[in-house]
Amino acid sequence: MSNVFIAFQRNEETRAVVNAIVADNPGAIVNEQPAMVKIDVPHCMVIRKSTIEEELGRAFDLQEMQVNLITLSGYIDETDDEFTLSWNS
């Protein structure tokens, strides 16, 4: 089973996103570097708007993630409420 991953610039703005990804994806592996944070998840990663909003304490548009996005791996399925990376085509 291959991992999917997403990497963000490491800063205060991405902390809530990373925490939400870890909360919603058991088995997530976080690799923190000086300038970036990369999260690997086996097969499928779900990023939920509601979980990020709980972490931030405010409304959040999933497209805000793109400001700090460095790279990702996997097929993307995006709605207003969830951003999913997987290897299902």
Side-chain angles (χ1 to χ4, degrees):
M1 183 181 311
S2 297
N3 286 352
V4 294
F5 71 82
I6 194 164
F8 298 100
Q9 295 175 33
R10 186 175 175 189
N11 57 43
E12 193 59 37
E13 294 174 14
T14 59
R15 182 181 313 267
V17 175
V18 171
N19 289 344
I21 292 170
V22 171
D24 285 338
N25 295 276
I29 299 166
V30 179
N31 181 356
E32 294 188 37
Q33 301 293 321
M36 73 168 218
V37 58
K38 179 180 176 232
I39 304 106
D40 288 274
V41 177
H43 191 61
C44 181
M45 176 188 305
V46 177
I47 303 171
R48 292 184 178 90
K49 175 183 176 178
S50 60
T51 308
I52 296 171
E53 289 177 336
E54 287 174 23
E55 287 286 330
L56 283 174
R58 67 166 176 86
F60 185 81
D61 184 330
L62 285 175
Q63 292 187 0
E64 290 180 58
M65 290 190 312
Q66 295 180 20
V67 172
N68 293 296
L69 180 65
I70 296 173
T71 190
L72 53 81
S73 176
Y75 296 115
I76 300 169
D77 183 17
E78 186 174 8
T79 67
D80 289 341
D81 299 317
E82 288 187 355
F83 184 95
T84 304
L85 290 173
S86 70
W87 288 117
N88 296 330
S89 57

